[in-house]
Amino acid sequence: WEGAGGGTFTIAALPAGVTEEYVQILDTGAGGPTCQGVLGTTLADVYYTFIVKAAGTVIIPDTDGPNTVTSGGPSTIKASPTICTAAQNTAATGGATAGGDSYSVQAIGLDYPMYEATYPINKSAAPTITGGSAQSDITISTFLTGTSP
């Protein structure tokens, strides 16, 4: 993480046979109130999912976190940091939470176009989910865990 709520990560070459991969990031917070406000990890874990189709760098924006405004309707939406740093948590909670958010990352690889087969991209009652090997294969990585600075 780069210190403002977002960051980048590098996708290595996809495993043999994998045509697309979902990278799922689970923000579990810092064990108390966070810079995401009452709608963030204090309420529930926050999930971010990216689809990738080749090796490269994925940029995680600084402010893709939950809305911090709880009234006023759609015109008052204000996104919070994606993953709160220790400094952001300390500032937002008046020192009640001093640590950075904990997070986990997992990759889910497929040999068929899962994203393209999902609604509303595909509205078929029986979308094609057969990969190049005439079946549908999925591979799932272990979780990598960390804490933002």
Side-chain angles (χ1 to χ4, degrees), residues 103-147:
Y103 61 88
S104 301
V105 181
Q106 184 176 42
I108 303 162
L110 307 110
D111 71 345
Y112 65 94
M114 183 170 137
Y115 176 74
E116 293 79 0
T118 60
Y119 182 86
I121 306 302
N122 187 318
K123 294 182 177 142
S124 168
T128 302
I129 59 168
T130 304
S133 63
Q135 61 184 25
S136 302
D137 296 314
I138 297 175
T139 184
I140 302 174
S141 75
T142 59
F143 278 105
L144 299 174
T145 60
T147 303

PDB file of all heavy atoms in Angstrom, residues 103-147:
ATOM      1  N   TYR A 103      -5.831  -7.030   5.956  1.00  0.00           N
ATOM      2  CA  TYR A 103      -6.451  -7.435   4.698  1.00  0.00           C
ATOM      3  C   TYR A 103      -5.940  -8.804   4.282  1.00  0.00           C
ATOM      4  O   TYR A 103      -4.893  -9.264   4.747  1.00  0.00           O
ATOM      5  CB  TYR A 103      -6.181  -6.405   3.585  1.00  0.00           C
ATOM      6  CG  TYR A 103      -4.719  -6.225   3.286  1.00  0.00           C
ATOM      7  CD1 TYR A 103      -4.069  -7.026   2.350  1.00  0.00           C
ATOM      8  CD2 TYR A 103      -3.967  -5.271   3.952  1.00  0.00           C
ATOM      9  CE1 TYR A 103      -2.715  -6.885   2.093  1.00  0.00           C
ATOM     10  CE2 TYR A 103      -2.620  -5.117   3.701  1.00  0.00           C
ATOM     11  CZ  TYR A 103      -1.998  -5.918   2.770  1.00  0.00           C
ATOM     12  OH  TYR A 103      -0.654  -5.775   2.522  1.00  0.00           O
ATOM     13  N   SER A 104      -6.715  -9.463   3.432  1.00  0.00           N
ATOM     14  CA  SER A 104      -6.334 -10.744   2.839  1.00  0.00           C
ATOM     15  C   SER A 104      -6.534 -10.634   1.335  1.00  0.00           C
ATOM     16  O   SER A 104      -7.441  -9.947   0.871  1.00  0.00           O
ATOM     17  CB  SER A 104      -7.219 -11.878   3.365  1.00  0.00           C
ATOM     18  OG  SER A 104      -7.125 -11.987   4.758  1.00  0.00           O
ATOM     19  N   VAL A 105      -5.697 -11.338   0.584  1.00  0.00           N
ATOM     20  CA  VAL A 105      -5.798 -11.345  -0.879  1.00  0.00           C
ATOM     21  C   VAL A 105      -5.842 -12.793  -1.342  1.00  0.00           C
ATOM     22  O   VAL A 105      -5.090 -13.637  -0.847  1.00  0.00           O
ATOM     23  CB  VAL A 105      -4.585 -10.641  -1.531  1.00  0.00           C
ATOM     24  CG1 VAL A 105      -4.700 -10.637  -3.049  1.00  0.00           C
ATOM     25  CG2 VAL A 105      -4.426  -9.223  -1.006  1.00  0.00           C
ATOM     26  N   GLN A 106      -6.737 -13.082  -2.270  1.00  0.00           N
ATOM     27  CA  GLN A 106      -6.852 -14.433  -2.829  1.00  0.00           C
ATOM     28  C   GLN A 106      -7.122 -14.314  -4.325  1.00  0.00           C
ATOM     29  O   GLN A 106      -7.839 -13.415  -4.768  1.00  0.00           O
ATOM     30  CB  GLN A 106      -7.995 -15.186  -2.162  1.00  0.00           C
ATOM     31  CG  GLN A 106      -8.116 -16.629  -2.606  1.00  0.00           C
ATOM     32  CD  GLN A 106      -9.199 -17.365  -1.838  1.00  0.00           C
ATOM     33  OE1 GLN A 106     -10.276 -16.848  -1.598  1.00  0.00           O
ATOM     34  NE2 GLN A 106      -8.902 -18.584  -1.443  1.00  0.00           N
ATOM     35  N   ALA A 107      -6.555 -15.225  -5.103  1.00  0.00           N
ATOM     36  CA  ALA A 107      -6.792 -15.263  -6.549  1.00  0.00           C
ATOM     37  C   ALA A 107      -7.611 -16.501  -6.896  1.00  0.00           C
ATOM     38  O   ALA A 107      -7.385 -17.583  -6.357  1.00  0.00           O
ATOM     39  CB  ALA A 107      -5.466 -15.298  -7.299  1.00  0.00           C
ATOM     40  N   ILE A 108      -8.577 -16.313  -7.798  1.00  0.00           N
ATOM     41  CA  ILE A 108      -9.431 -17.402  -8.269  1.00  0.00           C
ATOM     42  C   ILE A 108      -9.299 -17.437  -9.779  1.00  0.00           C
ATOM     43  O   ILE A 108      -9.704 -16.494 -10.465  1.00  0.00           O
ATOM     44  CB  ILE A 108     -10.903 -17.171  -7.859  1.00  0.00           C
ATOM     45  CG1 ILE A 108     -10.981 -17.010  -6.334  1.00  0.00           C
ATOM     46  CG2 ILE A 108     -11.792 -18.287  -8.367  1.00  0.00           C
ATOM     47  CD1 ILE A 108     -12.250 -16.378  -5.841  1.00  0.00           C
ATOM     48  N   GLY A 109      -8.676 -18.496 -10.305  1.00  0.00           N
ATOM     49  CA  GLY A 109      -8.434 -18.615 -11.747  1.00  0.00           C
ATOM     50  C   GLY A 109      -9.424 -19.558 -12.399  1.00  0.00           C
ATOM     51  O   GLY A 109      -9.826 -20.568 -11.818  1.00  0.00           O
ATOM     52  N   LEU A 110      -9.827 -19.219 -13.629  1.00  0.00           N
ATOM     53  CA  LEU A 110     -10.814 -20.008 -14.359  1.00  0.00           C
ATOM     54  C   LEU A 110     -10.348 -20.236 -15.790  1.00  0.00           C
ATOM     55  O   LEU A 110      -9.600 -19.432 -16.339  1.00  0.00           O
ATOM     56  CB  LEU A 110     -12.155 -19.262 -14.381  1.00  0.00           C
ATOM     57  CG  LEU A 110     -12.656 -18.841 -13.012  1.00  0.00           C
ATOM     58  CD1 LEU A 110     -12.580 -17.352 -12.852  1.00  0.00           C
ATOM     59  CD2 LEU A 110     -14.045 -19.332 -12.799  1.00  0.00           C
ATOM     60  N   ASP A 111     -10.841 -21.300 -16.398  1.00  0.00           N
ATOM     61  CA  ASP A 111     -10.512 -21.556 -17.804  1.00  0.00           C
ATOM     62  C   ASP A 111     -11.711 -21.290 -18.713  1.00  0.00           C
ATOM     63  O   ASP A 111     -11.782 -21.774 -19.816  1.00  0.00           O
ATOM     64  CB  ASP A 111      -9.982 -22.983 -18.006  1.00  0.00           C
ATOM     65  CG  ASP A 111     -11.058 -24.044 -17.851  1.00  0.00           C
ATOM     66  OD1 ASP A 111     -12.145 -23.744 -17.311  1.00  0.00           O
ATOM     67  OD2 ASP A 111     -10.800 -25.188 -18.266  1.00  0.00           O
ATOM     68  N   TYR A 112     -12.662 -20.524 -18.215  1.00  0.00           N
ATOM     69  CA  TYR A 112     -13.819 -20.141 -19.014  1.00  0.00           C
ATOM     70  C   TYR A 112     -14.168 -18.685 -18.678  1.00  0.00           C
ATOM     71  O   TYR A 112     -13.717 -18.165 -17.657  1.00  0.00           O
ATOM     72  CB  TYR A 112     -15.014 -21.070 -18.753  1.00  0.00           C
ATOM     73  CG  TYR A 112     -15.573 -21.005 -17.355  1.00  0.00           C
ATOM     74  CD1 TYR A 112     -16.645 -20.173 -17.063  1.00  0.00           C
ATOM     75  CD2 TYR A 112     -15.041 -21.771 -16.328  1.00  0.00           C
ATOM     76  CE1 TYR A 112     -17.168 -20.107 -15.783  1.00  0.00           C
ATOM     77  CE2 TYR A 112     -15.565 -21.715 -15.052  1.00  0.00           C
ATOM     78  CZ  TYR A 112     -16.628 -20.881 -14.781  1.00  0.00           C
ATOM     79  OH  TYR A 112     -17.139 -20.819 -13.524  1.00  0.00           O
ATOM     80  N   PRO A 113     -14.949 -18.035 -19.512  1.00  0.00           N
ATOM     81  CA  PRO A 113     -15.250 -16.616 -19.296  1.00  0.00           C
ATOM     82  C   PRO A 113     -16.322 -16.394 -18.225  1.00  0.00           C
ATOM     83  O   PRO A 113     -17.466 -16.083 -18.535  1.00  0.00           O
ATOM     84  CB  PRO A 113     -15.707 -16.150 -20.682  1.00  0.00           C
ATOM     85  CG  PRO A 113     -16.282 -17.369 -21.312  1.00  0.00           C
ATOM     86  CD  PRO A 113     -15.457 -18.523 -20.793  1.00  0.00           C
ATOM     87  N   MET A 114     -15.940 -16.534 -16.961  1.00  0.00           N
ATOM     88  CA  MET A 114     -16.913 -16.410 -15.876  1.00  0.00           C
ATOM     89  C   MET A 114     -17.544 -15.016 -15.829  1.00  0.00           C
ATOM     90  O   MET A 114     -18.749 -14.883 -15.671  1.00  0.00           O
ATOM     91  CB  MET A 114     -16.269 -16.722 -14.534  1.00  0.00           C
ATOM     92  CG  MET A 114     -17.265 -16.688 -13.382  1.00  0.00           C
ATOM     93  SD  MET A 114     -16.509 -17.347 -11.905  1.00  0.00           S
ATOM     94  CE  MET A 114     -17.065 -16.175 -10.700  1.00  0.00           C
ATOM     95  N   TYR A 115     -16.728 -13.989 -15.960  1.00  0.00           N
ATOM     96  CA  TYR A 115     -17.270 -12.630 -15.921  1.00  0.00           C
ATOM     97  C   TYR A 115     -18.287 -12.431 -17.043  1.00  0.00           C
ATOM     98  O   TYR A 115     -19.376 -11.910 -16.824  1.00  0.00           O
ATOM     99  CB  TYR A 115     -16.140 -11.604 -16.036  1.00  0.00           C
ATOM    100  CG  TYR A 115     -16.635 -10.181 -16.105  1.00  0.00           C
ATOM    101  CD1 TYR A 115     -17.130  -9.549 -14.963  1.00  0.00           C
ATOM    102  CD2 TYR A 115     -16.620  -9.476 -17.300  1.00  0.00           C
ATOM    103  CE1 TYR A 115     -17.601  -8.250 -15.019  1.00  0.00           C
ATOM    104  CE2 TYR A 115     -17.091  -8.176 -17.356  1.00  0.00           C
ATOM    105  CZ  TYR A 115     -17.573  -7.566 -16.220  1.00  0.00           C
ATOM    106  OH  TYR A 115     -18.047  -6.284 -16.283  1.00  0.00           O
ATOM    107  N   GLU A 116     -17.942 -12.866 -18.222  1.00  0.00           N
ATOM    108  CA  GLU A 116     -18.825 -12.704 -19.376  1.00  0.00           C
ATOM    109  C   GLU A 116     -20.098 -13.549 -19.245  1.00  0.00           C
ATOM    110  O   GLU A 116     -21.107 -13.261 -19.864  1.00  0.00           O
ATOM    111  CB  GLU A 116     -18.097 -13.059 -20.666  1.00  0.00           C
ATOM    112  CG  GLU A 116     -16.988 -12.095 -21.025  1.00  0.00           C
ATOM    113  CD  GLU A 116     -15.686 -12.306 -20.248  1.00  0.00           C
ATOM    114  OE1 GLU A 116     -15.610 -13.220 -19.399  1.00  0.00           O
ATOM    115  OE2 GLU A 116     -14.746 -11.532 -20.476  1.00  0.00           O
ATOM    116  N   ALA A 117     -20.065 -14.596 -18.414  1.00  0.00           N
ATOM    117  CA  ALA A 117     -21.221 -15.474 -18.237  1.00  0.00           C
ATOM    118  C   ALA A 117     -22.163 -14.978 -17.143  1.00  0.00           C
ATOM    119  O   ALA A 117     -23.232 -15.539 -16.953  1.00  0.00           O
ATOM    120  CB  ALA A 117     -20.759 -16.892 -17.903  1.00  0.00           C
ATOM    121  N   THR A 118     -21.764 -13.936 -16.415  1.00  0.00           N
ATOM    122  CA  THR A 118     -22.596 -13.456 -15.307  1.00  0.00           C
ATOM    123  C   THR A 118     -23.568 -12.367 -15.744  1.00  0.00           C
ATOM    124  O   THR A 118     -23.342 -11.649 -16.708  1.00  0.00           O
ATOM    125  CB  THR A 118     -21.724 -12.911 -14.163  1.00  0.00           C
ATOM    126  OG1 THR A 118     -20.923 -11.835 -14.648  1.00  0.00           O
ATOM    127  CG2 THR A 118     -20.841 -13.983 -13.575  1.00  0.00           C
ATOM    128  N   TYR A 119     -24.650 -12.284 -15.008  1.00  0.00           N
ATOM    129  CA  TYR A 119     -25.650 -11.243 -15.229  1.00  0.00           C
ATOM    130  C   TYR A 119     -25.087  -9.917 -14.740  1.00  0.00           C
ATOM    131  O   TYR A 119     -24.394  -9.893 -13.739  1.00  0.00           O
ATOM    132  CB  TYR A 119     -26.919 -11.602 -14.446  1.00  0.00           C
ATOM    133  CG  TYR A 119     -28.046 -10.628 -14.643  1.00  0.00           C
ATOM    134  CD1 TYR A 119     -28.911 -10.761 -15.710  1.00  0.00           C
ATOM    135  CD2 TYR A 119     -28.213  -9.559 -13.778  1.00  0.00           C
ATOM    136  CE1 TYR A 119     -29.942  -9.853 -15.905  1.00  0.00           C
ATOM    137  CE2 TYR A 119     -29.233  -8.651 -13.972  1.00  0.00           C
ATOM    138  CZ  TYR A 119     -30.085  -8.797 -15.032  1.00  0.00           C
ATOM    139  OH  TYR A 119     -31.095  -7.906 -15.239  1.00  0.00           O
ATOM    140  N   PRO A 120     -25.280  -8.808 -15.362  1.00  0.00           N
ATOM    141  CA  PRO A 120     -26.121  -8.547 -16.527  1.00  0.00           C
ATOM    142  C   PRO A 120     -25.360  -8.616 -17.853  1.00  0.00           C
ATOM    143  O   PRO A 120     -25.925  -8.317 -18.891  1.00  0.00           O
ATOM    144  CB  PRO A 120     -26.621  -7.136 -16.263  1.00  0.00           C
ATOM    145  CG  PRO A 120     -25.456  -6.465 -15.619  1.00  0.00           C
ATOM    146  CD  PRO A 120     -24.831  -7.538 -14.751  1.00  0.00           C
ATOM    147  N   ILE A 121     -24.093  -9.017 -17.824  1.00  0.00           N
ATOM    148  CA  ILE A 121     -23.342  -9.152 -19.072  1.00  0.00           C
ATOM    149  C   ILE A 121     -24.018 -10.196 -19.962  1.00  0.00           C
ATOM    150  O   ILE A 121     -24.167 -10.017 -21.158  1.00  0.00           O
ATOM    151  CB  ILE A 121     -21.877  -9.569 -18.804  1.00  0.00           C
ATOM    152  CG1 ILE A 121     -21.199  -8.613 -17.817  1.00  0.00           C
ATOM    153  CG2 ILE A 121     -21.086  -9.683 -20.097  1.00  0.00           C
ATOM    154  CD1 ILE A 121     -21.161  -7.168 -18.229  1.00  0.00           C
ATOM    155  N   ASN A 122     -24.430 -11.313 -19.360  1.00  0.00           N
ATOM    156  CA  ASN A 122     -25.101 -12.387 -20.086  1.00  0.00           C
ATOM    157  C   ASN A 122     -26.452 -12.621 -19.436  1.00  0.00           C
ATOM    158  O   ASN A 122     -26.534 -12.900 -18.240  1.00  0.00           O
ATOM    159  CB  ASN A 122     -24.246 -13.658 -20.017  1.00  0.00           C
ATOM    160  CG  ASN A 122     -24.776 -14.761 -20.876  1.00  0.00           C
ATOM    161  OD1 ASN A 122     -25.970 -15.001 -20.935  1.00  0.00           O
ATOM    162  ND2 ASN A 122     -23.876 -15.457 -21.543  1.00  0.00           N
ATOM    163  N   LYS A 123     -27.498 -12.535 -20.200  1.00  0.00           N
ATOM    164  CA  LYS A 123     -28.847 -12.709 -19.654  1.00  0.00           C
ATOM    165  C   LYS A 123     -29.449 -14.062 -20.000  1.00  0.00           C
ATOM    166  O   LYS A 123     -30.625 -14.308 -19.767  1.00  0.00           O
ATOM    167  CB  LYS A 123     -29.740 -11.573 -20.142  1.00  0.00           C
ATOM    168  CG  LYS A 123     -29.276 -10.242 -19.576  1.00  0.00           C
ATOM    169  CD  LYS A 123     -30.150  -9.107 -19.995  1.00  0.00           C
ATOM    170  CE  LYS A 123     -29.637  -7.859 -19.303  1.00  0.00           C
ATOM    171  NZ  LYS A 123     -29.685  -6.693 -20.068  1.00  0.00           N
ATOM    172  N   SER A 124     -28.630 -14.971 -20.501  1.00  0.00           N
ATOM    173  CA  SER A 124     -29.100 -16.312 -20.842  1.00  0.00           C
ATOM    174  C   SER A 124     -29.398 -17.104 -19.570  1.00  0.00           C
ATOM    175  O   SER A 124     -28.684 -16.991 -18.568  1.00  0.00           O
ATOM    176  CB  SER A 124     -28.032 -17.041 -21.658  1.00  0.00           C
ATOM    177  OG  SER A 124     -28.338 -18.417 -21.770  1.00  0.00           O
ATOM    178  N   ALA A 125     -30.425 -17.929 -19.607  1.00  0.00           N
ATOM    179  CA  ALA A 125     -30.744 -18.789 -18.469  1.00  0.00           C
ATOM    180  C   ALA A 125     -29.704 -19.891 -18.299  1.00  0.00           C
ATOM    181  O   ALA A 125     -29.544 -20.456 -17.223  1.00  0.00           O
ATOM    182  CB  ALA A 125     -32.127 -19.402 -18.648  1.00  0.00           C
ATOM    183  N   ALA A 126     -28.988 -20.208 -19.379  1.00  0.00           N
ATOM    184  CA  ALA A 126     -27.964 -21.258 -19.328  1.00  0.00           C
ATOM    185  C   ALA A 126     -26.721 -20.781 -20.092  1.00  0.00           C
ATOM    186  O   ALA A 126     -26.455 -21.218 -21.201  1.00  0.00           O
ATOM    187  CB  ALA A 126     -28.505 -22.546 -19.943  1.00  0.00           C
ATOM    188  N   PRO A 127     -25.933 -19.862 -19.488  1.00  0.00           N
ATOM    189  CA  PRO A 127     -24.756 -19.352 -20.194  1.00  0.00           C
ATOM    190  C   PRO A 127     -23.704 -20.435 -20.407  1.00  0.00           C
ATOM    191  O   PRO A 127     -23.611 -21.392 -19.635  1.00  0.00           O
ATOM    192  CB  PRO A 127     -24.229 -18.265 -19.265  1.00  0.00           C
ATOM    193  CG  PRO A 127     -24.751 -18.631 -17.925  1.00  0.00           C
ATOM    194  CD  PRO A 127     -26.060 -19.315 -18.154  1.00  0.00           C
ATOM    195  N   THR A 128     -22.933 -20.280 -21.450  1.00  0.00           N
ATOM    196  CA  THR A 128     -21.854 -21.220 -21.730  1.00  0.00           C
ATOM    197  C   THR A 128     -20.737 -21.023 -20.710  1.00  0.00           C
ATOM    198  O   THR A 128     -20.225 -19.921 -20.559  1.00  0.00           O
ATOM    199  CB  THR A 128     -21.301 -21.004 -23.152  1.00  0.00           C
ATOM    200  OG1 THR A 128     -22.379 -21.169 -24.064  1.00  0.00           O
ATOM    201  CG2 THR A 128     -20.183 -21.976 -23.470  1.00  0.00           C
ATOM    202  N   ILE A 129     -20.388 -22.082 -20.017  1.00  0.00           N
ATOM    203  CA  ILE A 129     -19.283 -22.001 -19.053  1.00  0.00           C
ATOM    204  C   ILE A 129     -18.254 -23.093 -19.313  1.00  0.00           C
ATOM    205  O   ILE A 129     -17.584 -23.556 -18.407  1.00  0.00           O
ATOM    206  CB  ILE A 129     -19.790 -22.054 -17.598  1.00  0.00           C
ATOM    207  CG1 ILE A 129     -20.561 -23.346 -17.325  1.00  0.00           C
ATOM    208  CG2 ILE A 129     -20.622 -20.846 -17.264  1.00  0.00           C
ATOM    209  CD1 ILE A 129     -20.844 -23.593 -15.859  1.00  0.00           C
ATOM    210  N   THR A 130     -18.131 -23.492 -20.565  1.00  0.00           N
ATOM    211  CA  THR A 130     -17.163 -24.524 -20.914  1.00  0.00           C
ATOM    212  C   THR A 130     -15.868 -23.873 -21.352  1.00  0.00           C
ATOM    213  O   THR A 130     -15.871 -22.989 -22.207  1.00  0.00           O
ATOM    214  CB  THR A 130     -17.705 -25.418 -22.046  1.00  0.00           C
ATOM    215  OG1 THR A 130     -18.956 -25.954 -21.603  1.00  0.00           O
ATOM    216  CG2 THR A 130     -16.743 -26.536 -22.365  1.00  0.00           C
ATOM    217  N   GLY A 131     -14.762 -24.299 -20.763  1.00  0.00           N
ATOM    218  CA  GLY A 131     -13.461 -23.770 -21.120  1.00  0.00           C
ATOM    219  C   GLY A 131     -12.856 -24.519 -22.285  1.00  0.00           C
ATOM    220  O   GLY A 131     -13.489 -25.371 -22.920  1.00  0.00           O
ATOM    221  N   GLY A 132     -11.601 -24.203 -22.566  1.00  0.00           N
ATOM    222  CA  GLY A 132     -10.885 -24.800 -23.685  1.00  0.00           C
ATOM    223  C   GLY A 132     -10.683 -26.297 -23.569  1.00  0.00           C
ATOM    224  O   GLY A 132     -10.440 -26.979 -24.555  1.00  0.00           O
ATOM    225  N   SER A 133     -10.795 -26.856 -22.354  1.00  0.00           N
ATOM    226  CA  SER A 133     -10.606 -28.291 -22.166  1.00  0.00           C
ATOM    227  C   SER A 133     -11.930 -29.055 -22.190  1.00  0.00           C
ATOM    228  O   SER A 133     -11.983 -30.190 -21.752  1.00  0.00           O
ATOM    229  CB  SER A 133      -9.891 -28.543 -20.839  1.00  0.00           C
ATOM    230  OG  SER A 133     -10.703 -28.089 -19.771  1.00  0.00           O
ATOM    231  N   ALA A 134     -12.991 -28.408 -22.678  1.00  0.00           N
ATOM    232  CA  ALA A 134     -14.338 -28.994 -22.773  1.00  0.00           C
ATOM    233  C   ALA A 134     -14.970 -29.229 -21.407  1.00  0.00           C
ATOM    234  O   ALA A 134     -15.901 -29.998 -21.270  1.00  0.00           O
ATOM    235  CB  ALA A 134     -14.336 -30.268 -23.605  1.00  0.00           C
ATOM    236  N   GLN A 135     -14.452 -28.589 -20.391  1.00  0.00           N
ATOM    237  CA  GLN A 135     -15.061 -28.624 -19.068  1.00  0.00           C
ATOM    238  C   GLN A 135     -14.773 -27.286 -18.390  1.00  0.00           C
ATOM    239  O   GLN A 135     -14.092 -26.442 -18.954  1.00  0.00           O
ATOM    240  CB  GLN A 135     -14.521 -29.783 -18.239  1.00  0.00           C
ATOM    241  CG  GLN A 135     -13.026 -29.720 -17.986  1.00  0.00           C
ATOM    242  CD  GLN A 135     -12.537 -30.941 -17.241  1.00  0.00           C
ATOM    243  OE1 GLN A 135     -13.151 -32.002 -17.303  1.00  0.00           O
ATOM    244  NE2 GLN A 135     -11.448 -30.804 -16.512  1.00  0.00           N
ATOM    245  N   SER A 136     -15.256 -27.091 -17.203  1.00  0.00           N
ATOM    246  CA  SER A 136     -15.054 -25.846 -16.483  1.00  0.00           C
ATOM    247  C   SER A 136     -14.148 -26.106 -15.288  1.00  0.00           C
ATOM    248  O   SER A 136     -14.511 -26.838 -14.375  1.00  0.00           O
ATOM    249  CB  SER A 136     -16.400 -25.296 -16.007  1.00  0.00           C
ATOM    250  OG  SER A 136     -17.241 -25.097 -17.103  1.00  0.00           O
ATOM    251  N   ASP A 137     -12.968 -25.501 -15.315  1.00  0.00           N
ATOM    252  CA  ASP A 137     -11.996 -25.717 -14.247  1.00  0.00           C
ATOM    253  C   ASP A 137     -11.755 -24.420 -13.480  1.00  0.00           C
ATOM    254  O   ASP A 137     -11.715 -23.338 -14.065  1.00  0.00           O
ATOM    255  CB  ASP A 137     -10.668 -26.214 -14.824  1.00  0.00           C
ATOM    256  CG  ASP A 137     -10.818 -27.576 -15.485  1.00  0.00           C
ATOM    257  OD1 ASP A 137     -11.448 -28.455 -14.879  1.00  0.00           O
ATOM    258  OD2 ASP A 137     -10.305 -27.752 -16.599  1.00  0.00           O
ATOM    259  N   ILE A 138     -11.569 -24.552 -12.172  1.00  0.00           N
ATOM    260  CA  ILE A 138     -11.289 -23.414 -11.298  1.00  0.00           C
ATOM    261  C   ILE A 138     -10.094 -23.776 -10.426  1.00  0.00           C
ATOM    262  O   ILE A 138      -9.966 -24.907  -9.955  1.00  0.00           O
ATOM    263  CB  ILE A 138     -12.503 -23.098 -10.399  1.00  0.00           C
ATOM    264  CG1 ILE A 138     -13.701 -22.689 -11.248  1.00  0.00           C
ATOM    265  CG2 ILE A 138     -12.166 -22.001  -9.399  1.00  0.00           C
ATOM    266  CD1 ILE A 138     -14.978 -22.478 -10.446  1.00  0.00           C
ATOM    267  N   THR A 139      -9.210 -22.807 -10.203  1.00  0.00           N
ATOM    268  CA  THR A 139      -8.106 -22.977  -9.279  1.00  0.00           C
ATOM    269  C   THR A 139      -8.129 -21.802  -8.313  1.00  0.00           C
ATOM    270  O   THR A 139      -8.408 -20.673  -8.712  1.00  0.00           O
ATOM    271  CB  THR A 139      -6.746 -23.085 -10.005  1.00  0.00           C
ATOM    272  OG1 THR A 139      -5.729 -23.331  -9.046  1.00  0.00           O
ATOM    273  CG2 THR A 139      -6.418 -21.841 -10.806  1.00  0.00           C
ATOM    274  N   ILE A 140      -7.889 -22.068  -7.036  1.00  0.00           N
ATOM    275  CA  ILE A 140      -7.978 -21.027  -6.010  1.00  0.00           C
ATOM    276  C   ILE A 140      -6.685 -21.010  -5.218  1.00  0.00           C
ATOM    277  O   ILE A 140      -6.195 -22.049  -4.756  1.00  0.00           O
ATOM    278  CB  ILE A 140      -9.174 -21.284  -5.070  1.00  0.00           C
ATOM    279  CG1 ILE A 140     -10.482 -21.331  -5.889  1.00  0.00           C
ATOM    280  CG2 ILE A 140      -9.252 -20.234  -3.991  1.00  0.00           C
ATOM    281  CD1 ILE A 140     -11.697 -21.725  -5.098  1.00  0.00           C
ATOM    282  N   SER A 141      -6.125 -19.816  -5.036  1.00  0.00           N
ATOM    283  CA  SER A 141      -4.890 -19.675  -4.279  1.00  0.00           C
ATOM    284  C   SER A 141      -5.178 -19.696  -2.782  1.00  0.00           C
ATOM    285  O   SER A 141      -6.311 -19.563  -2.338  1.00  0.00           O
ATOM    286  CB  SER A 141      -4.200 -18.354  -4.635  1.00  0.00           C
ATOM    287  OG  SER A 141      -4.894 -17.266  -4.030  1.00  0.00           O
ATOM    288  N   THR A 142      -4.125 -19.803  -1.994  1.00  0.00           N
ATOM    289  CA  THR A 142      -4.250 -19.615  -0.559  1.00  0.00           C
ATOM    290  C   THR A 142      -4.396 -18.119  -0.302  1.00  0.00           C
ATOM    291  O   THR A 142      -4.123 -17.292  -1.186  1.00  0.00           O
ATOM    292  CB  THR A 142      -3.002 -20.140   0.181  1.00  0.00           C
ATOM    293  OG1 THR A 142      -1.859 -19.446  -0.311  1.00  0.00           O
ATOM    294  CG2 THR A 142      -2.814 -21.629  -0.036  1.00  0.00           C
ATOM    295  N   PHE A 143      -4.807 -17.750   0.897  1.00  0.00           N
ATOM    296  CA  PHE A 143      -4.913 -16.338   1.276  1.00  0.00           C
ATOM    297  C   PHE A 143      -3.533 -15.811   1.624  1.00  0.00           C
ATOM    298  O   PHE A 143      -2.765 -16.458   2.318  1.00  0.00           O
ATOM    299  CB  PHE A 143      -5.811 -16.163   2.506  1.00  0.00           C
ATOM    300  CG  PHE A 143      -7.263 -16.143   2.198  1.00  0.00           C
ATOM    301  CD1 PHE A 143      -8.051 -17.239   2.473  1.00  0.00           C
ATOM    302  CD2 PHE A 143      -7.855 -15.018   1.664  1.00  0.00           C
ATOM    303  CE1 PHE A 143      -9.418 -17.223   2.214  1.00  0.00           C
ATOM    304  CE2 PHE A 143      -9.225 -14.984   1.389  1.00  0.00           C
ATOM    305  CZ  PHE A 143      -9.997 -16.089   1.660  1.00  0.00           C
ATOM    306  N   LEU A 144      -3.241 -14.610   1.152  1.00  0.00           N
ATOM    307  CA  LEU A 144      -2.073 -13.865   1.606  1.00  0.00           C
ATOM    308  C   LEU A 144      -2.624 -12.776   2.508  1.00  0.00           C
ATOM    309  O   LEU A 144      -3.622 -12.135   2.168  1.00  0.00           O
ATOM    310  CB  LEU A 144      -1.326 -13.238   0.428  1.00  0.00           C
ATOM    311  CG  LEU A 144      -0.777 -14.208  -0.604  1.00  0.00           C
ATOM    312  CD1 LEU A 144      -0.198 -13.452  -1.793  1.00  0.00           C
ATOM    313  CD2 LEU A 144       0.288 -15.094   0.019  1.00  0.00           C
ATOM    314  N   THR A 145      -2.019 -12.562   3.652  1.00  0.00           N
ATOM    315  CA  THR A 145      -2.542 -11.578   4.582  1.00  0.00           C
ATOM    316  C   THR A 145      -1.522 -10.497   4.879  1.00  0.00           C
ATOM    317  O   THR A 145      -0.309 -10.711   4.714  1.00  0.00           O
ATOM    318  CB  THR A 145      -2.972 -12.227   5.914  1.00  0.00           C
ATOM    319  OG1 THR A 145      -1.834 -12.867   6.497  1.00  0.00           O
ATOM    320  CG2 THR A 145      -4.073 -13.243   5.698  1.00  0.00           C
ATOM    321  N   GLY A 146      -1.989  -9.348   5.304  1.00  0.00           N
ATOM    322  CA  GLY A 146      -1.101  -8.250   5.643  1.00  0.00           C
ATOM    323  C   GLY A 146      -1.831  -7.175   6.416  1.00  0.00           C
ATOM    324  O   GLY A 146      -3.036  -7.271   6.656  1.00  0.00           O
ATOM    325  N   THR A 147      -1.101  -6.141   6.791  1.00  0.00           N
ATOM    326  CA  THR A 147      -1.661  -4.980   7.468  1.00  0.00           C
ATOM    327  C   THR A 147      -1.129  -3.743   6.779  1.00  0.00           C
ATOM    328  O   THR A 147       0.074  -3.664   6.487  1.00  0.00           O
ATOM    329  CB  THR A 147      -1.251  -4.966   8.963  1.00  0.00           C
ATOM    330  OG1 THR A 147      -1.690  -6.185   9.558  1.00  0.00           O
ATOM    331  CG2 THR A 147      -1.874  -3.790   9.693  1.00  0.00           C
TER     332      THR A 147
END
